[in-house]
Amino acid sequence: MSALPQCPQCRSELTYEDGTLYICPECAHEWAKDAAVESADAEKVVHDAVGNVLNDGDTVTVIKDLKVKGSSSVVKVGTKVKGIRLVEGDHDIDCKIDGIGAMKLKSMFVKKV
């Protein structure tokens, strides 16, 4: 086994050294050798469209009309969403919207109330 660290983004063990950097050939992520590697248990900070930090249970407002995939419904601008839950992934907010149901939203389309 090599003494090189795993990639902090994709957890690949195929990293290699290049000068003062570590490089992952699988996801092309580069990081400094002297940078502290975040642990997998570290909590990701999620920000809304204007930079406010979001937490579980917050109330947010939708700032753009969003089409609901697989339906003719639309989530209108100004829709209030109460009790959000933060999750990992591209769509980082899990919530229930009145009249539509359970949805996943991207934090870039909401603003904290």
Side-chain angles (χ1 to χ4, degrees), residues 9-37:
Q9 281 192 338
C10 70
R11 296 289 175 215
S12 171
E13 295 180 357
L14 302 176
T15 58
Y16 63 91
E17 294 179 72
D18 186 22
T20 61
L21 297 175
Y22 288 123
I23 301 175
C24 175
E26 291 186 14
C27 69
H29 179 65
E30 299 179 357
W31 68 100
K33 285 183 181 180
D34 59 351
V37 177

Side-chain angles (χ1 to χ4, degrees), residues 45-92:
V45 177
V46 178
H47 298 277
D48 67 359
V50 293
N52 298 323
V53 177
L54 296 174
N55 298 307
D56 285 343
D58 283 345
T59 300
V60 295
T61 304
V62 178
I63 62 168
K64 178 183 176 185
D65 282 348
L66 302 172
K67 294 180 182 178
V68 179
K69 206 173 207 177
S71 172
S72 61
S73 301
V74 176
V75 178
K76 295 285 188 180
V77 171
T79 302
K80 252 187 189 176
V81 181
K82 297 179 183 177
I84 66 170
R85 195 177 86 219
L86 302 178
V87 294
E88 292 293 320
D90 188 31
H91 292 73
D92 43 15

